[in-house]
Each structure stands twice: as C-alpha cells, then as structure tokens.
Amino acid sequence: MKQSTVRAAPGCAARALVICLLSPSAMAQIQQTPEVIVSATRFEQTAERLAINASVITAEDISRSAARTLPELLGTRAGVVSRDLFGNNAALASVDMRGFGATAAQNTLILVDGQRLNDIDLSGVQWSSIPLDAIERIEILRGSGAVQYGDGASAGVINIITRHPARGGNRASVRARYASWDTRELSGSVNVFGESVGLYAHARNFVSDGYRDNNHNRGTNLGVRATWSGDRADATVRIAADRQGLRLPGARLVQPSAGINQLTSDRRGTSTPLDYAQRNGNQAAADLRWQLGAGEFVLGLGYRDKDQRSYFDFGGFPDYRDIALDVLTLQPRYRWQGKAFGADHAAVLGIDVARWDYRLLRSNSAGNVGRPFNTIDATQDNDAIYALDTIALTEQVSLNVGARAERMRISASDRFDATAPGGAFGSGAPAASDRRYGHAYEAGLRIGVVPDAALIVRTARSFRFANVDEIYEPSAGFTQEFQFLRPQKATTYELGIAFGSKLPWLQASAFRMDVDDEIRLDPFSTGIGNRNMPPLRRTGFELEAHHALGSSLQISGSYTYMRARFRTGVLPGSVFTSTEVDLAGRTVPLVPKHKLDLALDWRIGAGTRLRAETAYVSAQHMENDEGNTFGRRIPAYTVADLKLEHRMGAWAASAGIANLFDRKYYAYAIRSQFVADRFNAYPLPERSFWIALEYTGL
C-alpha cells in the first residue's frame, strides 16, 4: 500500500561546541559519571567492554528535558531526527535514525524492555503509549542490534527501559498539566518494593483540541511492572494497555500556478473534516531468569495486540479500514561468563520465535464493515538463532563478535466481494505465500588508547523483510496482488572515539552504510508500488558532548552530518508521472544534511532550574522527489524551547514555552507526481505554553 504520509551555519556552531568542550579548561572540569548499564547484548552489563556507538538517556535527563514527548526527546540526540505531522502528543510522529527518510519507521527498531513495538504493517509505533514519567532509561544503539534483535534494525535500535520497582523506593505521585489548544493531561504512578517483591504502576489520560482544525486527540494508557527476586532466580512481568482517538486534519495544499497557498491563507485549517483514526492496544511480557552455574538463562515470553479503525473520505470516495493484529513471541537465551583460550568471555546464545496474525477489512463506512469488499488475512512466522561474544583480549582491548540467521514465512489471502457496498470497482488479490532468509553479523574492537578514552572500530550487516502493507499493491492493470520483495541488506563500517570511562562526556563517530535492495515506494512507476531500489549509500558524522560549567550550569549538545544518496539506478516511471527517473547521485528525500541540538541547564537556586533547548534542522527534499527535480525543498528551521521548574518538598511546579520564537515551519511535505508545482505540507504548532503541578509522597 502506498504510504503518503532563515538558513544557519551549522558547521560553525558545531565547531564552536567542540572547541569549547575540548579545551584544556573544559577537560579539567569533567565530572565523574555514574556507572551506566546497557542491555545491548540482551543482558544487562556495563558498557565499558562493548564496541558500540550508544547513547543512554537517564531518568534524570528526561526529568530535566523540555521535551514533552518521546520522539522530541530522542530527536535531541546525534543521528536521530524526529518527524511530526501535527505536533499533538506525538500522534503519527516518526523517528529517523541515519537517514532513511520515508521508511524510517521500518528501519529503526523500537523496543520496550527488549520487546519490539514495530509491526508487520505500516502503522508505526504508538509513541503516546509510553509516558516519559514511566521510563528509567533509553538506550540508543546506532548501526547495531540486528544480531540481537533481527529484522528492521538497519539504522539501529532504541530500547526503552521502564522503571524497575527495586530502584524507585516506596512512593506515589500525581501530576497535572495544562497547555495551549485546551490540552489537559493527568497522570499518576505508584511504586512499592519489599524484600523480594516489587510493583510499579502508572496511568495517564490526555485530551487536546490540537493546533489544527479537526485534530482532537484523546488517549489513555496504563501499565504495571511486577518483579520477584530470589537467591538464584527472579521474574519480571509487565502488562500495558493504551487507547487513542484522533481526528485527522490532513495536509495544507500549495500550488503557485493556481494561486493556492494554504500554508499562509489557512495554516490551521483542514481539508479532511471527516477523517479520523482510532487505536487500541494491549501487551503482556514476562522474563523468567535463573542462575545456572557460571551462566544465566532467561526465558522471555510476549504477547501484543492492536485494533485500528480509520476513515478517509477522499472527496466522496470513502475508505474505511478495520485492522486487527496480534503477535506471540518466545525468546529463550543463555549467557555464559568465563575464561577460555586465555581470555575472558561473555557469550550469549539465543533463539527468537514470533508468530503474527493480521486481518484487514476494507469497506466504505463503519456501518458496512460487517460486509467488507476486501478481507485480507496474513500470517507470518519469524524464527531465528543468534550468538554473541564479548572477549577481553587485554585490559585495554575487547572484541565483540556475533551472527544471526533468521527465516520469515508469510501466507496471505484476499477475499473480494464485488456486491458489498463500495465494492463495484475493486478487485481481490490471489492467495500467495513466500519464504525469505536474512543474515546479520557484527564485529567490533574497543581499544583503550589513553586513560578514559577508547577507539571503536566496527562493521555490521543487517537485513529487513518487506511488511504486509508493502507487498499488497495494485498491478499495472489496476488489480490487487501480492508483490513479494527481496530482503533488504545493509553493511555498515564505523570508526568512533569515546571519552569517559562510564558515561562518555564526548563521543564522535564516522560511518558508511551501503544498502542493497532497499525497500521503498516507487512513486512514479505504474504497477510497482514498493520495490527493491538500486543501491544506496549513507555516510555521516555524529557528535555528542556534555560539560559542567561549575556546579550550577551544564551545557550539552549534538551535531549530525548525514548524506544519503542513490549510487546508481533509473526508475522506469510512467506516462502519468515521469519517465526514466535518473537516481544516480540523487539525495534521498526527507533526509536533512545537518542537524544541531544545544541545551543549557541552569540551577538558579535551591530547587529551581531553568532549561533552554534549541534545534536546527537543514533543508530536505520532499517525499516523492527521488529524482530531486521538484525545485523546492522543505525549508530549514530552528526552534527553541524553555522550561522552568521549582521543587519544594513533595511539590514540583513547572512551566514551559514551546517554539519560543514563534517559527512557522513544517517537518514533512510530499510533492505531487502529477502536477509540476503542487505539494502538500503539514504545518506544526507556533508558540505555545504549558504549566504543570506534581506531588510526590510516600
């Protein structure tokens, strides 16, 4: 299915940041940082022996940040761009790591406590189901994770770790927030922990009219994490549920040849007053852990389901969809730690099994969905085995190696009823099945070059299978069919350096990623839909740093340079769009070349803190402009946010300003394939305000 979803000098700013943070006086004032635990091997361990490019966002980082949603928070880190359509509680937002543009959601794997949130369709992650208050830390693994987690980790992995009862003490809190556009949010949590049993529970309700017309958003979510620990065994169970109802305002049309520019004439308006989407989701997961001699065995079990309903009027040609999807996972794994061949090893061996069931009902209205004109059913099985080893070659040098083999099997059918309401002009796809294989590996060296500094050299291979929405397409004769695609393959080469023995105070990395058979939409060629693209190459540089300027002031920031280009290739196109679209050397749409984030955290006095954040994103080609011929790009933008917080005893009050300088900008636009100067854009909110009050007690 086809998915349509004032320039600065970033180089100078980035150089100034590096010079400041690398000066002798700066290096002399580096503070000792706490030990950071990561689960990059699917077992918790310190990061000091791992040859990975990782960032860890702690609960304290989250509390200080001016970000209101998880994508906003992630977008402040190097190599990560957050892209929003409406700016309303991250509804239909996406996170792009290492320049995948429109297919970002299919190439960055999102996990919660090690369980994947990415589905086998194009619906994307429900970001609002993960409240910031419920997060203990976030691990961002750039360019790695395919060995551990498999399909869809080409750009990397983001693992969101929820709060563990043992680390929170006995407490309860409640928080209320009010913001522009009649936004109201109420949340609460409770944490209790005894000698061996603990419980953390949270709940939240969110309601907002939204910046745009027809963009009302209402969502609720709740979650519970229970733990038990014994002498040689422990168990964790997590249950969560979320509900969302969202009105969809659509895009704003711009066509200079017709004198149309809704970005200026009616920026907040809607052209789709009838469109909406609803989503309900539930999930449950358990990790059962045993100490077995010198090793540790974990049995992971997971279940997740979702029910989505959406309606698009399409100017009187309505499309109503009801999607049900569920997945069962089994994840046994074992870690052995010991000495072999004269070196210390931490070896992991694991198996991943997942079964997906998917059903899509298509009709012309909610009232007629009981008799749909298309009923698409699909089952998908993924089976994989993987192994990892972290080898301490010397006190200063460690080697990380790993490999994974995965098999995917899918069977799909489409029952068509031409007599159903709205079915007169449709068609059904013949039943079909497919089997594909994916292989991943990684090898990396971490070399201690000077005290508290390490050089990281690594290479990795990843893969991605096409999902069910990407293979269900109209043929050249405009009849539906299942168009199976080859697995996408990516090979990454990376060189980096990190300063700081525990949590790096500065880390930089340069990389190259070569991608073959990348799965993307071909917007020009009739009867193709999504296809395996000609080869692409992504090269980039990522920098993150933070520094304490005395006891009350801290500065942090990140800079990303990203270049994503097609190496060769021509799209055949069609008479309806363009023919022979040359891709060689063209830039991938929706990939900015520069991104710069800066933050200043000032402890004004006892209990009072001011946070200032600014982000610059350079211009980028619009979606559907693979040939870079449109002549207009999404403009560069700079936005700034402020947050003031005061804590007194059990109470905390905060207030913020988002988009401080009232910029009129947008982060997503799509060009027309048929009209030379037409495009649709999704304007984001102008200046807005919020206040919040929180109480925490025993």
Side-chain angles (χ1 to χ4, degrees), residues 172-196:
S173 68
V174 62
R175 183 175 187 265
R177 185 173 75 96
Y178 184 80
S180 301
W181 333 124
D182 197 23
T183 299
R184 292 154 286 156
E185 182 179 1
L186 181 65
S187 61
S189 67
V190 60
N191 192 94
V192 292
F193 188 77
E195 186 174 334
S196 60

Side-chain angles (χ1 to χ4, degrees), residues 523-696:
F524 304 102
S525 306
T526 302
I528 296 295
N530 293 280
R531 69 182 302 156
N532 292 114
M533 286 287 186
L536 296 93
R537 174 169 293 166
R538 293 170 171 86
T539 55
F541 174 75
E542 299 159 340
L543 171 71
E544 283 189 347
H546 64 90
H547 174 55
L549 301 171
S551 60
S552 61
L553 198 63
Q554 186 176 67
I555 183 173
S556 59
S558 68
Y559 170 72
T560 304
Y561 169 83
M562 182 66 60
R563 185 173 182 176
R565 292 179 178 267
F566 295 94
R567 285 185 278 168
T568 61
V570 175
L571 297 180
S574 73
V575 295
F576 303 104
T577 55
S578 301
T579 58
E580 300 298 312
V581 181
D582 185 13
L583 298 181
R586 303 298 190 260
T587 297
V588 175
L590 301 181
V591 179
K593 183 179 290 188
H594 304 282
K595 185 180 78 80
L596 177 65
D597 295 271
L598 294 172
L600 187 67
D601 194 85
W602 180 23
R603 192 169 61 192
I604 300 174
T608 304
R609 187 182 297 272
L610 177 67
R611 177 84 170 189
E613 298 179 354
T614 185
Y616 166 83
V617 178
S618 66
Q620 51 199 295
H621 291 281
M622 298 181 187
E623 187 172 357
N624 284 0
D625 192 19
E626 275 74 7
N628 301 170
T629 59
F630 187 54
R632 182 165 181 169
R633 297 188 292 171
I634 298 172
Y637 58 87
T638 303
V639 292
D641 300 333
L642 286 180
K643 176 185 176 181
L644 180 65
E645 181 182 62
H646 179 71
R647 293 185 176 271
M648 185 172 60
W651 292 91
S654 55
I657 306 175
N659 194 358
L660 176 65
F661 300 110
D662 203 26
R663 303 301 190 201
K664 292 179 171 60
Y665 73 105
Y666 53 94
Y668 176 80
I670 181 169
R671 65 165 293 188
S672 169
Q673 303 107 304
F674 310 106
V675 181
D677 64 339
R678 177 186 293 177
F679 70 93
N680 285 323
Y682 290 77
L684 290 170
E686 297 153 57
R687 185 189 296 120
S688 61
F689 306 87
W690 61 268
I691 55 173
L693 185 65
E694 180 179 4
Y695 176 81
T696 302

Side-chain angles (χ1 to χ4, degrees), residues 1-3 321 362 374 376 414 425-430 468-485 521-531 673:
M1 299 174 188
K2 296 190 177 181
Q3 183 191 38
R321 302 189 176 204
R362 297 183 62 192
N374 283 104
I376 297 97
D414 181 10
F425 301 101
S427 66
V468 66
D469 284 347
E470 290 172 317
I471 63 173
Y472 183 67
E473 295 286 357
S475 68
F478 301 101
T479 59
Q480 293 297 131
E481 63 182 11
F482 294 104
Q483 303 175 1
F484 296 112
L485 301 171
L521 175 67
D522 179 350
F524 304 102
S525 306
T526 302
I528 296 295
N530 293 280
R531 69 182 302 156
Q673 303 107 304

